[in-house]
Amino acid sequence: MKIETIRHSLSHIMAYSVQELFPGTKFGIGPAIEQGFYYDFDLPKPISDENLPKIEAKMRELIKQDIKFEKKIVSKKEAKEIFKSQPYKLELIEELARVGPVSIYQSGDFVDLCRGPHVKSTLQLHSGQAPYKSFRDYTGQAKEIIDAFKLTKIAGAYWKGNEKNKMLTRIYGIAFKNKKELENFLFKLEEAEKRDHRILGQKLELFLFDEEVGAGLPLWQPKGALIRKIIEDYLYEELGKAGYQWIITPHIGKENLFQTSGHLEFYKENMYSPIEIEKEKYYLKPMNCPFHIKIYNSKIRSYRDLPMRLAELGTVYRYERSGTLHGLIRVRGFTQDDAHIFCTPDQSGGELISLLKQAIKILKDFGFEDYEIYLATRPEKYVGTIKIWQKATNSLKYGLEKLNLKYQIDPKGGVFYGPKADIKIKDSLGRPWQCTTIQVDFNLPEAFKLNYIDKKGKKQRPIMIHRTPLGSMERFLGCLLENYGGALPLWLSPEQIWIIPVGSRHKKYAESVRGRASDAGFRVKLKSEAETVSKKIREAEIQKIPYLLVVGDKEMKSKSVRIRQRGKGDIGEIKIDKFIEKVKMEVEKRK
Ligand SMILES: [Zn+2]
Ligand SMILES: [Zn+2]
């Protein structure tokens, strides 16, 4: 039996339990989802997580009762009678029954509008004493289900996902084939929760959101801003070496610019309403491209100028529904490590290869070596000719194959202006995160009538490539935090070393150690507050400080330090010069 069938059947049993425990509940919908199921309820009174064990117990009680799932096909009129006290179901009947009769499932006193399939009886979710011979083949698997599901959380969900509708109570459950799978999943979930970047961001004081500022608009606190600066410095250096030139462009631009670029035609639902100044409309930029084009187009370019690589840490604003916002991963204002490459058609293949190489090098430097690559092809709505699309798709393919990169095709997943290669990095729990994108574009050069003068002195149209290896500073910091559980590698840690004098007589020596490490370029803090050493060590653990140097009599005498390394504890005494050498190496290796 398919696990989805079991999950969907459990959602009915959950609804049945809710009906028993909270009479008067109105029912929304309850599908199976990845790893489990949910059901949306309009409850007579609000409930909280504390109610979940009670609902779960009721479910187990019902499962043991050999409750049948009986399918019936009824007319629209009959269905309306059956669900006369269920407004949400009536709404669904109106939609479904336009084409004819509807199917319902009855289990005990609970009846639901549903296409199925379902288990035949709840005994299939529990071995019990299955009375049916035909059940023999799955009783082995089924007997464990009763212990292999769990209700996990309560959340608000608008009816039909529309914020204009009433907010219903959604109860989520998870269900697996057996208890072991459930336990594995719960373990992973617990790990993931510990790594939740929203919690870490708060604990480590990296970033925050403020109700009055607005949802999805992160405020970077000093330590978060410092990490960002470290990443930015890294990018300046890497891209500088690769022949990029840095530019800076404004956050808003006039209507006409976005009309020419096609954003107002193809991307308007993601843009904010215009601001009117001196009778002209300005839009917050959702992308940096049109601005970069203006710099390219500010003078006549020769083939000798190409490829021209213009990079910007460009802040863009996109409208995302409030329900989809998620910490730093999905926000409304964010800074892309953006760049646009203008090149001749002949150069585009080579550029794509170096871009793929560069993206993978950058991800590796940040500790991501496991990824999934997708080649997204021509969508339904597109600009340009099929021939030019084929050519660009082939260059991307060629690049991926040349570098021996495994990839999957994402059919019709390209942007309207060209195909793209996306890289999803996998974090230490194996979860994929979409970061890198490399997109070929033949629309914008056409729309803005971009040219370069070729060898023969003739005007030619360049190809444009959009690319961002990290995606955005916001999302990337979120991924980094979750991947490392907040314990960032030394080179990225906002505070790298704390120095802890054992007593007040060691303060002077501690200060000299601080000076040495700070002169060597490290971010150091002297912890000389009148608190116990063990308290400071605990604080450092919470703050995920990579190195603690404890100095007392012995260390003072021998000009050394006692090292406590994050995750390892005390690793012994070492001369201060040796320590600096060690950590310098570590930073160089970006470990
Ligand atoms: Zn159903
Ligand atoms: Zn772009």
Side-chain angles (χ1 to χ4, degrees), residues 8-9 11-12 30-31 39 69 105 110 112-118:
H8 185 189
S9 301
S11 104
H12 278 226
Y39 211 111
F69 280 80
Y105 269 85
F110 179 72
D112 204 351
L113 198 61
C114 178
R115 259 184 315 197
H118 279 289

Side-chain angles (χ1 to χ4, degrees), residues 89 91-103 113-114:
K89 298 292 176 192
E91 206 180 314
L92 295 175
I93 291 166
E94 282 305 326
E95 287 163 21
L96 287 169
R98 262 182 226 135
V99 280
V102 291
S103 110
L113 198 61
C114 178

